[in-house]
Amino acid sequence: EIVMTQSPATLSVSPGERATLSCRASQSVSINLAWYQQKPGQAPRLLIYDASARATGIPARFSGSGSGTEFTLTISSLQSEDFAVYYCQHYNKWPPYTFGQGTKLEIK
Amino acid sequence: EVQLVQSGAEVKKPGESLRISCKGSGYKFDSYWIGWVRQMPGKGLEWMGIIYPGDSDTKYSPSFQGQVTIAADKSISTAYLLWSSLKASDTAIYYCASTSTKYYFDYWGQGTPVTVSS
């Protein structure tokens, strides 16, 4: 089973600034990596798939990069609605397609 | 418009059985994998398993194999998550979610809270 590790656990950033979230896989997942956003009381929402492709309706300030074992989600200029918990998930080859433990993005 | 509508909140006692459901609409239900994700109180997302409604091929996480059953009825575009004997540790919100051409989840249900308490 591939273990996904996200860092940091909590990230404090001011509105308008850039946020960089990391996700590491215990073995290569190629580009088979997705990012999700979850706000309190809501279901998760797909942001990024195939490591860098934005899902439908996702603003351009969200970008993903990486391949193999190291991935990054960047939010270029934080808006108030971006403060949430972010999860990465691999979907490479065989299941289980595990999630990372999440990064909570909070207002500084 | 793709929609996944889940059944309502459940309160059960330990040892009881339970089936929760997820009805898909707005897409060809039997042609895409649909999965279940657990979120325990205050915790992260856990991938439980997926099913292909077209032929009921199912893949489980080792953590959930034997603990739950995933099923689907393509005739009514509905997926199910079943327990034969609930435990207090099954208390969580359970989400269904659909895949597209790969195994990431592009559409999610609203979640079904399950509380197991004596």
Side-chain angles (χ1 to χ4, degrees):
Chain A
E1 176 174 325
I2 297 174
V3 176
M4 307 301 293
T5 303
Q6 293 185 238
S7 61
T10 304
L11 182 62
S12 300
V13 182
S14 300
E17 293 189 340
R18 174 188 297 256
T20 302
L21 290 67
S22 296
C23 175
R24 173 177 293 177
S26 60
Q27 60 185 268
S28 176
V29 298
S30 185
I31 61 166
N32 296 307
L33 191 285
W35 289 94
Y36 303 87
Q37 176 193 66
Q38 188 180 31
K39 297 179 181 179
Q42 296 185 16
R45 176 175 71 148
L46 176 68
L47 297 175
I48 301 286
Y49 63 94
D50 290 349
S52 62
R54 272 190 302 279
T56 302
I58 301 304
R61 65 180 181 273
F62 290 90
S63 62
S65 63
S67 65
T69 62
E70 300 283 345
F71 300 89
T72 300
L73 174 69
T74 301
I75 311 170
S76 60
S77 178
L78 280 164
Q79 309 295 304
S80 58
E81 61 266 29
D82 300 335
F83 292 96
V85 180
Y86 292 84
Y87 296 93
C88 62
Q89 180 208 14
H90 90 86
Y91 47 93
N92 191 58
K93 292 186 179 178
W94 315 117
Y97 301 127
T98 46
F99 292 93
Q101 81 279 20
T103 290
K104 182 179 181 181
L105 181 57
E106 63 177 27
I107 300 174
K108 187 173 183 181
Chain B
E1 178 196 8
V2 175
Q3 281 196 311
L4 296 172
V5 178
Q6 297 185 229
S7 50
E10 300 277 359
V11 179
K12 293 290 204 178
K13 290 182 166 47
E16 292 186 332
S17 63
L18 175 64
R19 185 183 77 171
I20 63 175
S21 66
C22 170
K23 183 171 177 61
S25 62
Y27 73 107
K28 201 170 185 317
F29 183 81
D30 59 359
S31 296
Y32 297 93
W33 294 82
I34 191 161
W36 290 94
V37 175
R38 183 175 78 175
Q39 188 165 41
M40 298 178 77
K43 303 298 184 183
L45 305 175
E46 298 176 88
W47 192 93
M48 301 177 71
I50 51 175
I51 187 166
Y52 188 76
D55 61 6
S56 291
D57 185 17
T58 310
K59 306 178 190 294
Y60 291 94
S61 165
S63 299
F64 292 93
Q65 180 88 47
Q67 307 305 307
V68 297
T69 300
I70 294 171
D73 184 342
K74 64 182 179 181
S75 70
I76 55 172
S77 300
T78 301
Y80 302 99
L81 183 62
L82 302 95
W83 293 260
S84 59
S85 181
L86 287 160
K87 310 179 189 67
S89 58
D90 292 318
T91 294
I93 297 174
Y94 294 87
Y95 294 100
C96 66
S98 65
T99 64
S100 61
T101 53
K102 292 187 178 181
Y103 293 108
Y104 57 86
F105 292 131
D106 51 357
Y107 293 96
W108 293 70
Q110 82 276 19
T112 295
V114 173
T115 302
V116 183
S117 174
S118 55

